[in-house]
Amino acid sequence: MPTLTDNQQLPNSSTLPCKADAKRSLFGIDIDNLRMQDAVDTLRQWVGEDEGCRFVVTPNVDHAVLLQENQPLRDAYEDAHMVLADGHPIVWASRLLKQPLPERVAGSELVPALFDSYDQSEELTVFLLGAAPGVAQTAAKNMEAQWPNIKTVGIYSPPMGFEKDDAQCDIILQRISACKPDVVVVGLGAPKQELWVHRHFQSIDAKVALCVGATIDFLAGEKKRAPLWMQKNGLEWMHRMCSEPKRLVKRYAKDAWIFPQLVLKQLSTK
Ligand code: UDP
């Protein structure tokens, strides 16, 4: 199976229809200086082109912390075609560090915003990769009700450990190839989704792959987003932590300890 090698020429974010200086360098991540609308416009442009599969990552505080000790994740972020700030703390830190980002562009909001941007006369085809068995089916049903012109052409919930199994990875790529969607919504959790997409994007038969965590769960109504006031005040993490304490308390405690250190470190090197 073709995978990325050092000497392969990568299309990169210079393909973004935005200014060449439009990157903000924060904690070792080059984040695109884009608003939600810019991101949606760019994705629509990519869907209309024939340039192979481009992929999008959406760093939040946890990713910024993970990436410090994870070179493969750092490589995935470097090669991503679009890097969007998914989290108010990232945007706040960008302003403190005089690398201002215009707004938060959360992956879970980008997907519905992209769907909303297509009017009834336009069709967009989508493949949902990830989430627990059955969840993507519910998401597809909800999507059909809300966006009849957005067609879910394929769904796959890979089994645990699939990423270490070449045969499983081939199955995923073949399933995507069989329906050639415009967009693959990848909801496998971080850093699994970024590492998998980075390893395979040149074999993904789609225009765009969006690494967007729990978005399929949100589309299915399986997980609930935080109330708007919490989202607006940067408290979505608290809502998620209360919904899944076992999984998230330890993670967020580590993030709360390390992330300010990353900000201070960058502040002191200015
Ligand atoms: N998931 C999956 N396969 C895996 C691991 C996770 O489909 O091997 C899905 C899981 O069911 C959920 C999503 O990935 O839908 C997790 O997204 P979330 O953003 O909550 O994960 P995080 O990045 O916060 O760990």
Side-chain angles (χ1 to χ4, degrees), residues 99-270:
Q99 302 248 1
L101 287 163
E103 65 184 14
R104 174 189 191 206
V105 188
S108 53
E109 286 165 17
L110 177 67
V111 171
L114 178 67
F115 295 169
D116 278 340
S117 79
Y118 284 83
D119 68 37
Q120 296 296 324
S121 63
E122 302 172 296
E123 195 177 280
L124 182 78
T125 54
V126 176
F127 190 103
L128 301 177
L129 175 62
V135 173
Q137 275 87 345
T138 309
K141 236 167 82 190
N142 293 348
M143 284 163 57
E144 197 184 340
Q146 192 171 349
W147 299 281
N149 53 322
I150 308 297
K151 305 283 177 214
T152 305
V153 291
I155 279 171
Y156 190 52
S157 170
M160 280 295 173
F162 73 92
E163 71 280 9
K164 297 183 208 105
D165 178 346
D166 284 347
Q168 256 306 320
C169 294
D170 278 338
I171 289 174
I172 297 173
L173 294 170
Q174 282 160 15
R175 285 184 180 225
I176 296 172
S177 267
C179 35
K180 299 191 193 319
D182 294 317
V183 176
V184 184
V185 175
V186 187
L188 298 166
K192 197 180 285 186
Q193 59 199 7
E194 290 81 7
L195 298 179
W196 191 84
V197 169
H198 184 226
R199 185 162 161 228
H200 296 286
F201 75 93
Q202 293 184 322
S203 311
I204 297 177
D205 203 350
K207 304 291 176 57
V208 179
L210 303 172
C211 301
V212 285
T215 298
I216 300 172
D217 297 288
F218 292 136
L219 289 167
E222 192 71 18
K223 288 184 185 175
K224 295 270 175 267
R225 297 238 13 229
L228 218 55
W229 70 268
M230 288 183 106
Q231 291 180 36
K232 282 191 175 147
N233 289 291
L235 294 173
E236 191 154 18
W237 62 272
M238 197 187 280
H239 181 267
R240 291 202 71 188
M241 191 174 73
C242 295
S243 321
E244 298 177 78
K246 263 200 185 143
R247 188 168 80 95
L248 296 178
V249 167
K250 224 168 115 193
R251 178 197 292 188
Y252 286 166
K254 182 181 175 198
D255 293 348
W257 172 245
I258 308 247
F259 185 67
Q261 296 179 45
L262 299 179
V263 177
L264 285 176
K265 189 169 152 206
Q266 186 159 340
L267 205 55
S268 66
T269 56
K270 284 182 87 62

Side-chain angles (χ1 to χ4, degrees), residues 4 8-15 51-55 78-81 201-202:
L4 188 63
Q8 274 175 304
Q9 195 65 39
L10 280 174
N12 59 35
S13 340
S14 63
T15 51
E51 296 288 330
C53 183
R54 284 136 156 170
F55 70 101
E78 259 168 39
D79 291 337
H81 303 84
F201 75 93
Q202 293 184 322

